[in-house]
């Protein structure tokens, strides 16, 4: 009975790790080895390997040739990665800044209808993107924001705001009011109290919020695809667009791309692991 | 002096909250209102807004027409089936994993990290990669099935009866960790002394589970299920990658809307459709928000 738990953990572990292992193995193959009649899964350093072998020659090509342009695509991988970085980081900065200010306002001041506002903010999170994408597209056409970084930055900022405000409000609520009140008595202005007292105490919260905003902007696909043709295409849209490519999907590069693209997310997730739960539940669950 | 402080506070509080609220109104409420207007027109993708022709409730009439060939009703059924199956499988599996992972054991943190990786991947890119695994002829899954002796292997992406489950499996693979995570928190929140008391009473393991563990972790499980439901209702990325939009076997609400708006250019009809979906999402989200509110109040009461 004591070991019964392994009957659950072990199969699920295999189920999780096999596709992940397949990503890694694919990323060190060459294209011909990804689609073969005998599936190849044993990495080997030998140069000449018969077609019907289970072994394949390890190749760093996928990583070194990530930048290669594919048919029908204007740029290489790194250009799109740069787009993802620019859009992801700037929108994260914006939603954390706006979210922190707004959360502080709701946490420390009497705002008429505060409860209703907060629920309005939360409800925007559940809005199906496709219910607003067309009006946003028409608006963006009007203001020349289609195919621009700024367009996606504004959009992701607004879509992450609900998460940012709710998470930050939770963190700021936990900072004792006495800290600021003491500062106000000492002659600090409200603004100084906010900048000098609250912000340093909310550091953890800000970091956690930033990570969650970044991840959701980083992996977003629906809006990025419908609002862009070329200039501000992010990595998910770039890879999804390779489907139906005349020369076939370059699987090793896709696999290598997945690994490169998930690396920052993994690092950040490990950094905020203690607050993971708080992030995925909009701050309702405090670990 | 006091009034001076107060009025500058008043200015400051709106200065703090207004930018965020304005942005939310500008990019959520305004587009939504605009979308409602569009839903009563025959707008197409290429028209200028001034040329949108009003058609009254005709788009809605088309959606609710009781008709065997009604795509909208079919997509609604597919989505409902998807949400129901995905959420219940993920919840059950996630909870089971959390229960199994409760005791300490060597290597636990590594196992946990591996379990969480699927959640971190970009759904659209990972779904593309699943195409390679699922390939009927060369895919590693079918080759493995043939190797262990299956005479006929499923066409994961081509067989009408299978496709839906192919997409379901991807969703389960990617989002079970989420359910596991919340379940783990739910289990951790149950104080040890309750278990100790049960041990003194010589309660049987099953009784302990049924009378203590399950009821005490239920609130968070419901929260997790509601969160996943609102997400799964929007299912788009995996369907796009595996079958593309416009496949009757896997057409979800979101991919149908995409098809209608961006492939058939029927913006008016698509907008009407979006509004119907919105009503469904609002119903589920209201449940969620109410629940969340209650949960927070309980927390304050403690």
């Amino acid at each position: 009975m004591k070991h019964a738990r392994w009957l659950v953990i072990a199969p699920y572990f295999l189920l999780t790790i096999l596709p992940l292992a397949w990503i890694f193995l694919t990323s060190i193959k060459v294209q011909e080895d990804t689609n073969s009649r005998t599936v190849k899964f044993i990495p080997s350093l030998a140069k000449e390997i018969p077609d019907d072998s289970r072994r394949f020659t390890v190749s760093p090509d996928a990583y070194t040739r990530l930048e290669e342009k594919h048919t029908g695509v204007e740029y290489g991988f790194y250009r799109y990665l740069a787009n993802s970085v620019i859009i992801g980081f700037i929108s994260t900065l914006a939603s954390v800044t706006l979210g922190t200010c707004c959360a502080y306002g709701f946490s420390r001041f009497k705002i008429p209808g505060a409860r209703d506002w907060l629920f309005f903010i939360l409800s925007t999170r559940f809005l199906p993107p496709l219910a607003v994408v067309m009006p946003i597209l028409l608006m963006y056409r009007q203001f020349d924001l289609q195919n621009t970084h700024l367009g996606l930055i504004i959009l992701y900022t607004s879509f992450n705001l609900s998460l940012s405000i709710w998470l930050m409000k939770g963190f700021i609520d936990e900072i004792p009011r006495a800290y600021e009140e003491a500062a106000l008595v000492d002659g600090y202005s409200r603004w100084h109290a906010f900048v000098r007292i609250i912000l340093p105490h909310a550091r953890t919260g800000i970091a956690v919020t930033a990570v969650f905003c970044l991840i959701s902007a980083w992996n977003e696909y629906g809006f990025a695809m419908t609002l862009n043709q070329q200039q501000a295409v992010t990595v998910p849209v770039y890879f999804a667009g390779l489907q139906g490519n005349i020369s076939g999907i370059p699987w090793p590069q896709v696999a290598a791309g997945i690994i490169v693209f998930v690396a920052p997310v993994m690092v950040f997730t490990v950094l905020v692991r203690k607050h993971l739960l708080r992030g995925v539940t909009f701050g309702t669950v405090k670990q | 002096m006091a009034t001076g402080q107060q009025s500058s506070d008043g200015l400051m509080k709106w200065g703090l909250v207004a930018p965020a609220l304005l942005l939310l109104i500008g990019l959520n409420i305004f587009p939504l209102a605009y979308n409602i207007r569009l839903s009563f027109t025959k707008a197409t993708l290429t028209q200028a807004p001034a040329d949108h022709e009003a058609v009254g409730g005709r788009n809605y009439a088309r959606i609710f027409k009781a008709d065997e060939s009604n795509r909208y009703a079919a997509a609604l059924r597919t989505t409902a089936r998807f949400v129901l199956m995905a959420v219940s499988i993920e919840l059950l599996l996630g909870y089971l994993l959390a229960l199994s992972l409760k005791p300490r054991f060597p290597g636990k943190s590594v196992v946990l990290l591996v379990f969480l990786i699927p959640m971190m991947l970009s759904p659209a890119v990972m779904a593309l990669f699943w195409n390679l695994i699922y390939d009927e002829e060369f895919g590693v899954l079918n080759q493995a099935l043939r190797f262990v002796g299956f005479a006929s292997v499923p066409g994961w992406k081509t067989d009408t009866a299978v496709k839906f489950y192919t997409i379901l499996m991807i969703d389960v693979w990617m989002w079970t960790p989420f359910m596991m995570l919340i379940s783990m928190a739910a289990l951790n929140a149950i104080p040890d002394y309750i278990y100790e008391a049960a041990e003194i009473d010589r309660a049987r393991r099953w009784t302990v589970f049924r009378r203590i563990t399950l009821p005490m972790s239920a609130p968070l499980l419901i929260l997790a299920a509601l969160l996943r439901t609102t997400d799964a209702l929007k299912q788009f990325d995996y369907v796009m990658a595996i079958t593309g939009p416009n496949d009757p076997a896997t057409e979800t609400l979101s991919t149908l809307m995409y098809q209608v708006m961006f492939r058939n250019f029927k913006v008016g009809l698509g907008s009407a459709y979006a509004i119907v979906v919105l009503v469904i999402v609002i119903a589920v989200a209201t449940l969620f928000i109410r629940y969340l509110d209650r949960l927070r109040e309980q927390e304050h009461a403690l």
Side-chain angles (χ1 to χ4, degrees), chain B residues 156-177:
Chain B
W156 298 104
K157 299 185 297 171
T158 47
D159 191 332
T160 327
V162 179
K163 282 185 225 178
F164 175 84
Y165 298 98
T166 304
I167 292 168
L168 185 69
M169 280 192 285
I170 300 179
D171 199 77
V172 169
W173 187 80
M174 292 198 83
W175 294 108
T176 299

mmCIF file of all heavy atoms in Angstrom, chain B residues 156-177:
data_model
loop_
_atom_site.group_PDB
_atom_site.id
_atom_site.type_symbol
_atom_site.label_atom_id
_atom_site.label_comp_id
_atom_site.label_asym_id
_atom_site.label_seq_id
_atom_site.Cartn_x
_atom_site.Cartn_y
_atom_site.Cartn_z
ATOM 1 N N TRP B 156 -4.348 9.498 -36.097
ATOM 2 C CA TRP B 156 -4.601 10.485 -35.036
ATOM 3 C C TRP B 156 -5.138 11.808 -35.565
ATOM 4 O O TRP B 156 -5.931 12.462 -34.913
ATOM 5 C CB TRP B 156 -3.326 10.742 -34.229
ATOM 6 C CG TRP B 156 -2.823 9.522 -33.532
ATOM 7 C CD1 TRP B 156 -1.751 8.758 -33.904
ATOM 8 C CD2 TRP B 156 -3.367 8.903 -32.372
ATOM 9 N NE1 TRP B 156 -1.598 7.714 -33.042
ATOM 10 C CE2 TRP B 156 -2.565 7.774 -32.084
ATOM 11 C CE3 TRP B 156 -4.447 9.200 -31.538
ATOM 12 C CZ2 TRP B 156 -2.822 6.940 -31.004
ATOM 13 C CZ3 TRP B 156 -4.698 8.370 -30.459
ATOM 14 C CH2 TRP B 156 -3.892 7.252 -30.202
ATOM 15 N N LYS B 157 -4.664 12.194 -36.754
ATOM 16 C CA LYS B 157 -5.073 13.505 -37.257
ATOM 17 C C LYS B 157 -6.061 13.407 -38.408
ATOM 18 O O LYS B 157 -6.592 14.416 -38.852
ATOM 19 C CB LYS B 157 -3.836 14.276 -37.736
ATOM 20 C CG LYS B 157 -2.833 14.518 -36.622
ATOM 21 C CD LYS B 157 -1.701 15.380 -37.117
ATOM 22 C CE LYS B 157 -0.938 14.684 -38.223
ATOM 23 N NZ LYS B 157 0.029 15.600 -38.854
ATOM 24 N N THR B 158 -6.308 12.186 -38.915
ATOM 25 C CA THR B 158 -7.150 12.048 -40.104
ATOM 26 C C THR B 158 -8.484 11.370 -39.811
ATOM 27 O O THR B 158 -9.478 11.664 -40.466
ATOM 28 C CB THR B 158 -6.410 11.254 -41.190
ATOM 29 O OG1 THR B 158 -5.832 10.097 -40.586
ATOM 30 C CG2 THR B 158 -5.327 12.104 -41.827
ATOM 31 N N ASP B 159 -8.517 10.465 -38.869
ATOM 32 C CA ASP B 159 -9.739 9.721 -38.578
ATOM 33 C C ASP B 159 -10.757 10.620 -37.856
ATOM 34 O O ASP B 159 -10.472 11.149 -36.784
ATOM 35 C CB ASP B 159 -9.390 8.501 -37.706
ATOM 36 C CG ASP B 159 -10.563 7.541 -37.599
ATOM 37 O OD1 ASP B 159 -11.710 8.002 -37.709
ATOM 38 O OD2 ASP B 159 -10.316 6.337 -37.414
ATOM 39 N N THR B 160 -11.928 10.769 -38.445
ATOM 40 C CA THR B 160 -12.944 11.674 -37.888
ATOM 41 C C THR B 160 -13.309 11.320 -36.452
ATOM 42 O O THR B 160 -13.588 12.203 -35.638
ATOM 43 C CB THR B 160 -14.229 11.621 -38.736
ATOM 44 O OG1 THR B 160 -13.851 11.400 -40.085
ATOM 45 C CG2 THR B 160 -15.009 12.901 -38.628
ATOM 46 N N ALA B 161 -13.303 10.023 -36.144
ATOM 47 C CA ALA B 161 -13.717 9.609 -34.809
ATOM 48 C C ALA B 161 -12.601 9.823 -33.781
ATOM 49 O O ALA B 161 -12.856 9.832 -32.580
ATOM 50 C CB ALA B 161 -14.136 8.147 -34.826
ATOM 51 N N VAL B 162 -11.363 9.984 -34.245
ATOM 52 C CA VAL B 162 -10.213 10.029 -33.333
ATOM 53 C C VAL B 162 -9.719 11.456 -33.071
ATOM 54 O O VAL B 162 -9.327 11.780 -31.949
ATOM 55 C CB VAL B 162 -9.064 9.159 -33.888
ATOM 56 C CG1 VAL B 162 -7.852 9.204 -32.978
ATOM 57 C CG2 VAL B 162 -9.524 7.724 -34.072
ATOM 58 N N LYS B 163 -9.761 12.282 -34.113
ATOM 59 C CA LYS B 163 -9.199 13.647 -34.057
ATOM 60 C C LYS B 163 -9.514 14.404 -32.773
ATOM 61 O O LYS B 163 -8.649 15.021 -32.163
ATOM 62 C CB LYS B 163 -9.790 14.481 -35.196
ATOM 63 C CG LYS B 163 -9.206 14.250 -36.519
ATOM 64 C CD LYS B 163 -9.834 15.245 -37.468
ATOM 65 C CE LYS B 163 -10.221 14.549 -38.742
ATOM 66 N NZ LYS B 163 -10.876 15.437 -39.692
ATOM 67 N N PHE B 164 -10.790 14.350 -32.390
ATOM 68 C CA PHE B 164 -11.226 15.077 -31.208
ATOM 69 C C PHE B 164 -10.419 14.653 -29.982
ATOM 70 O O PHE B 164 -9.978 15.479 -29.185
ATOM 71 C CB PHE B 164 -12.725 14.823 -30.991
ATOM 72 C CG PHE B 164 -13.277 15.413 -29.736
ATOM 73 C CD1 PHE B 164 -13.679 16.734 -29.684
ATOM 74 C CD2 PHE B 164 -13.395 14.640 -28.585
ATOM 75 C CE1 PHE B 164 -14.185 17.281 -28.526
ATOM 76 C CE2 PHE B 164 -13.902 15.178 -27.419
ATOM 77 C CZ PHE B 164 -14.301 16.504 -27.389
ATOM 78 N N TYR B 165 -10.210 13.347 -29.862
ATOM 79 C CA TYR B 165 -9.485 12.833 -28.700
ATOM 80 C C TYR B 165 -8.001 13.145 -28.774
ATOM 81 O O TYR B 165 -7.334 13.280 -27.749
ATOM 82 C CB TYR B 165 -9.742 11.327 -28.547
ATOM 83 C CG TYR B 165 -11.205 11.069 -28.307
ATOM 84 C CD1 TYR B 165 -12.045 10.704 -29.350
ATOM 85 C CD2 TYR B 165 -11.760 11.272 -27.054
ATOM 86 C CE1 TYR B 165 -13.410 10.523 -29.139
ATOM 87 C CE2 TYR B 165 -13.104 11.099 -26.832
ATOM 88 C CZ TYR B 165 -13.933 10.723 -27.869
ATOM 89 O OH TYR B 165 -15.265 10.575 -27.656
ATOM 90 N N THR B 166 -7.491 13.247 -30.007
ATOM 91 C CA THR B 166 -6.100 13.659 -30.189
ATOM 92 C C THR B 166 -5.882 15.022 -29.548
ATOM 93 O O THR B 166 -4.935 15.232 -28.788
ATOM 94 C CB THR B 166 -5.782 13.735 -31.696
ATOM 95 O OG1 THR B 166 -6.067 12.477 -32.289
ATOM 96 C CG2 THR B 166 -4.342 14.117 -31.930
ATOM 97 N N ILE B 167 -6.798 15.951 -29.843
ATOM 98 C CA ILE B 167 -6.688 17.304 -29.296
ATOM 99 C C ILE B 167 -6.918 17.289 -27.781
ATOM 100 O O ILE B 167 -6.211 17.954 -27.029
ATOM 101 C CB ILE B 167 -7.679 18.243 -30.018
ATOM 102 C CG1 ILE B 167 -7.215 18.414 -31.463
ATOM 103 C CG2 ILE B 167 -7.786 19.582 -29.315
ATOM 104 C CD1 ILE B 167 -8.208 19.069 -32.371
ATOM 105 N N LEU B 168 -7.879 16.472 -27.360
ATOM 106 C CA LEU B 168 -8.156 16.345 -25.932
ATOM 107 C C LEU B 168 -6.908 15.882 -25.169
ATOM 108 O O LEU B 168 -6.582 16.399 -24.100
ATOM 109 C CB LEU B 168 -9.301 15.353 -25.720
ATOM 110 C CG LEU B 168 -9.816 15.181 -24.306
ATOM 111 C CD1 LEU B 168 -10.537 16.443 -23.851
ATOM 112 C CD2 LEU B 168 -10.742 13.984 -24.194
ATOM 113 N N MET B 169 -6.201 14.906 -25.762
ATOM 114 C CA MET B 169 -5.002 14.388 -25.082
ATOM 115 C C MET B 169 -3.929 15.463 -24.919
ATOM 116 O O MET B 169 -3.239 15.510 -23.906
ATOM 117 C CB MET B 169 -4.438 13.187 -25.853
ATOM 118 C CG MET B 169 -5.206 11.904 -25.558
ATOM 119 S SD MET B 169 -4.357 10.458 -26.174
ATOM 120 C CE MET B 169 -4.685 10.586 -27.910
ATOM 121 N N ILE B 170 -3.781 16.312 -25.949
ATOM 122 C CA ILE B 170 -2.803 17.396 -25.835
ATOM 123 C C ILE B 170 -3.191 18.306 -24.675
ATOM 124 O O ILE B 170 -2.352 18.698 -23.860
ATOM 125 C CB ILE B 170 -2.726 18.214 -27.139
ATOM 126 C CG1 ILE B 170 -2.303 17.320 -28.294
ATOM 127 C CG2 ILE B 170 -1.757 19.385 -26.988
ATOM 128 C CD1 ILE B 170 -2.220 18.043 -29.616
ATOM 129 N N ASP B 171 -4.466 18.637 -24.595
ATOM 130 C CA ASP B 171 -4.927 19.518 -23.522
ATOM 131 C C ASP B 171 -4.664 18.890 -22.154
ATOM 132 O O ASP B 171 -4.208 19.556 -21.232
ATOM 133 C CB ASP B 171 -6.422 19.816 -23.689
ATOM 134 C CG ASP B 171 -6.839 21.053 -22.911
ATOM 135 O OD1 ASP B 171 -6.553 22.155 -23.385
ATOM 136 O OD2 ASP B 171 -7.430 20.900 -21.817
ATOM 137 N N VAL B 172 -4.950 17.591 -22.043
ATOM 138 C CA VAL B 172 -4.724 16.895 -20.782
ATOM 139 C C VAL B 172 -3.236 16.907 -20.437
ATOM 140 O O VAL B 172 -2.844 17.162 -19.304
ATOM 141 C CB VAL B 172 -5.268 15.450 -20.840
ATOM 142 C CG1 VAL B 172 -4.804 14.644 -19.640
ATOM 143 C CG2 VAL B 172 -6.785 15.466 -20.919
ATOM 144 N N TRP B 173 -2.406 16.655 -21.453
ATOM 145 C CA TRP B 173 -0.963 16.630 -21.221
ATOM 146 C C TRP B 173 -0.466 17.989 -20.727
ATOM 147 O O TRP B 173 0.344 18.088 -19.814
ATOM 148 C CB TRP B 173 -0.236 16.247 -22.523
ATOM 149 C CG TRP B 173 1.233 16.038 -22.355
ATOM 150 C CD1 TRP B 173 1.836 14.927 -21.866
ATOM 151 C CD2 TRP B 173 2.288 16.964 -22.680
ATOM 152 N NE1 TRP B 173 3.204 15.095 -21.869
ATOM 153 C CE2 TRP B 173 3.502 16.327 -22.363
ATOM 154 C CE3 TRP B 173 2.310 18.251 -23.215
ATOM 155 C CZ2 TRP B 173 4.734 16.938 -22.568
ATOM 156 C CZ3 TRP B 173 3.546 18.865 -23.411
ATOM 157 C CH2 TRP B 173 4.733 18.202 -23.086
ATOM 158 N N MET B 174 -0.996 19.065 -21.311
ATOM 159 C CA MET B 174 -0.483 20.383 -20.962
ATOM 160 C C MET B 174 -1.065 20.948 -19.672
ATOM 161 O O MET B 174 -0.407 21.702 -18.977
ATOM 162 C CB MET B 174 -0.710 21.373 -22.104
ATOM 163 C CG MET B 174 0.150 21.033 -23.305
ATOM 164 S SD MET B 174 0.344 22.373 -24.497
ATOM 165 C CE MET B 174 1.662 23.327 -23.782
ATOM 166 N N TRP B 175 -2.321 20.594 -19.332
ATOM 167 C CA TRP B 175 -2.961 21.303 -18.221
ATOM 168 C C TRP B 175 -3.238 20.483 -16.976
ATOM 169 O O TRP B 175 -3.691 21.019 -15.968
ATOM 170 C CB TRP B 175 -4.224 22.023 -18.711
ATOM 171 C CG TRP B 175 -3.816 23.091 -19.647
ATOM 172 C CD1 TRP B 175 -3.979 23.097 -21.009
ATOM 173 C CD2 TRP B 175 -3.072 24.283 -19.342
ATOM 174 N NE1 TRP B 175 -3.408 24.215 -21.552
ATOM 175 C CE2 TRP B 175 -2.840 24.946 -20.553
ATOM 176 C CE3 TRP B 175 -2.582 24.836 -18.157
ATOM 177 C CZ2 TRP B 175 -2.134 26.161 -20.612
ATOM 178 C CZ3 TRP B 175 -1.882 26.024 -18.226
ATOM 179 C CH2 TRP B 175 -1.677 26.671 -19.436
ATOM 180 N N THR B 176 -2.968 19.165 -16.999
ATOM 181 C CA THR B 176 -3.090 18.393 -15.762
ATOM 182 C C THR B 176 -2.174 18.961 -14.662
ATOM 183 O O THR B 176 -2.577 19.034 -13.503
ATOM 184 C CB THR B 176 -2.803 16.908 -16.015
ATOM 185 O OG1 THR B 176 -3.764 16.429 -16.953
ATOM 186 C CG2 THR B 176 -2.902 16.088 -14.750
ATOM 187 N N PRO B 177 -0.945 19.390 -15.009
ATOM 188 C CA PRO B 177 -0.076 19.962 -13.966
ATOM 189 C C PRO B 177 -0.722 21.123 -13.228
ATOM 190 O O PRO B 177 -0.502 21.296 -12.022
ATOM 191 C CB PRO B 177 1.144 20.462 -14.742
ATOM 192 C CG PRO B 177 1.106 19.806 -16.055
ATOM 193 C CD PRO B 177 -0.263 19.309 -16.317
#
